[in-house]
Amino acid sequence: MSLKQTIVEKIKHYILDNRLKVGDKIPTERKLAEAYNVSRSVIREALSYLENTGVTESVQGKGTLVKEQDITPLIDGFLFSFQVSQGDIKDLLMLRLTFELAAIDMIEQQQLSLDTIEASLVNDVGQFDSSQDQAFHQSILESVNSTLFKQMSAVVQAYFYRHSITTTIEENRLSIKEHHAIYQALSQKDYAKAKMLLTQHLMKGVKHND
C-alpha cells in the first residue's frame, strides 16, 4: 500500500477501535500527523479520500466528523461502470430479484405490515404507468427496516426505470393483475406463492430493458 492508503486504514481502525459514532469528531490534521509520524499533506490526502468515499465529512466550525452511512454513491458508481462495460442486464435483474425475494423473506420472518404494499396497488389501467410499477416494487423493499438494504436495493431498482418504458394497455392490465396477485399471496401468508409470482413477473420484464 502507498503511504496514503496506510494512513487511510489507520484512521479507519482509529474510528473502530474508539467506537466513534456518527457525528463524532476525529483528531485534527496536526494530531494525526504527530500520531502517525507523517506530514500533514499525507494526512490531508487521506482525509480527502475518506470524505470522498463517504466515511467522514468536513463541517465548518466542527472539523472532520464520522459520517452517516450512505453507500448510494458506491452502488451508483458500480452501475455506471456496469453500463460502460456493457454488462448483461439479466445479471442486474437477478440482483434486483434477489433483493425483492429477500424482502419477502423478511416480511415472513418478522410478520411486517403490508399497508405500504396495499397502498401502492392501482386498479384503474388508465392511471397505470412505469411510475406505478416502480412504486409497487419499492413498497416491497420499503417493508424491510434496514437502511443499508434500502439504499442498495433502491439504487439497483432505479436503474431499471432510468428511461421511460413504453407499454401497451394490455401489458399494463396484466401488470396490475400480477401486482394484486402478489399482494393477495402475501396477505394470505402464502409466501412461497408470492415469491413464485414475483419471479415470473420480473423475469418477463427484462425485454423492456434490453
Side-chain angles (χ1 to χ4, degrees), residues 3-209:
L3 184 56
K4 183 196 78 173
Q5 291 171 318
T6 300
I7 298 304
V8 165
E9 291 305 311
K10 286 181 179 294
I11 295 174
K12 286 182 178 179
H13 282 299
Y14 174 89
I15 293 172
L16 294 175
D17 292 343
N18 289 275
R19 298 185 178 182
L20 299 187
K21 302 183 295 297
V22 173
D24 286 347
K25 183 178 179 180
I26 69 172
T28 62
E29 286 183 9
R30 181 179 61 79
K31 290 183 178 180
L32 288 172
E34 292 174 354
Y36 301 134
N37 194 30
V38 295
S39 67
R40 291 182 65 172
S41 63
V42 172
I43 295 297
R44 199 170 297 119
E45 289 181 17
L47 291 177
S48 177
Y49 176 86
L50 290 170
E51 183 168 358
N52 290 335
T53 53
V55 176
T56 63
E57 61 179 338
S58 297
V59 179
Q60 185 69 31
K62 293 185 178 181
T64 302
L65 312 180
V66 178
K67 188 177 181 180
E68 185 173 5
Q69 65 176 12
D70 182 5
I71 64 167
T72 300
L74 296 178
I75 301 298
D76 197 43
F78 161 75
L79 291 178
F80 178 75
S81 298
F82 180 86
Q83 286 179 273
V84 170
S85 60
Q86 298 181 334
D88 189 342
I89 189 64
K90 291 181 180 178
D91 290 338
L92 274 188
L93 179 66
M94 292 306 298
L95 181 58
R96 177 187 177 185
L97 177 60
T98 298
F99 278 125
E100 294 194 33
L101 293 178
I104 291 179
D105 283 335
M106 293 303 295
I107 291 172
E108 177 182 9
Q109 292 168 18
Q110 300 181 14
Q111 291 298 293
L112 301 174
S113 171
L114 302 178
D115 290 349
T116 303
I117 300 175
E118 183 180 16
S120 72
L121 295 173
V122 174
N123 294 307
D124 184 356
V125 68
Q127 297 178 344
F128 189 86
D129 59 23
S130 62
S131 63
Q132 276 73 47
D133 184 65
Q134 182 176 9
F136 172 76
H137 290 282
Q138 189 63 35
S139 71
I140 295 175
L141 300 169
E142 288 290 332
S143 299
V144 179
N145 188 25
S146 167
T147 301
L148 186 61
F149 180 87
K150 289 179 181 178
Q151 288 175 356
M152 293 180 67
S153 59
V155 177
V156 171
Q157 186 192 187
Y159 178 90
F160 290 87
Y161 298 93
R162 68 197 187 284
H163 303 304
S164 59
I165 301 172
T166 302
T167 53
T168 66
I169 292 294
E170 196 54 44
E171 286 173 329
N172 290 344
R173 184 175 288 111
L174 180 58
S175 289
I176 290 174
K177 181 180 179 180
E178 290 173 345
H179 289 179
H180 279 268
I182 293 167
Y183 169 75
Q184 189 69 20
L186 289 172
S187 64
Q188 294 174 349
K189 301 186 186 302
D190 191 343
Y191 301 105
K193 182 178 180 180
K195 291 196 284 187
M196 178 193 71
L197 293 172
L198 176 66
T199 300
Q200 293 174 347
H201 174 66
L202 282 181
M203 292 305 290
K204 72 180 180 61
V206 71
K207 66 181 181 179
H208 293 300
N209 298 279

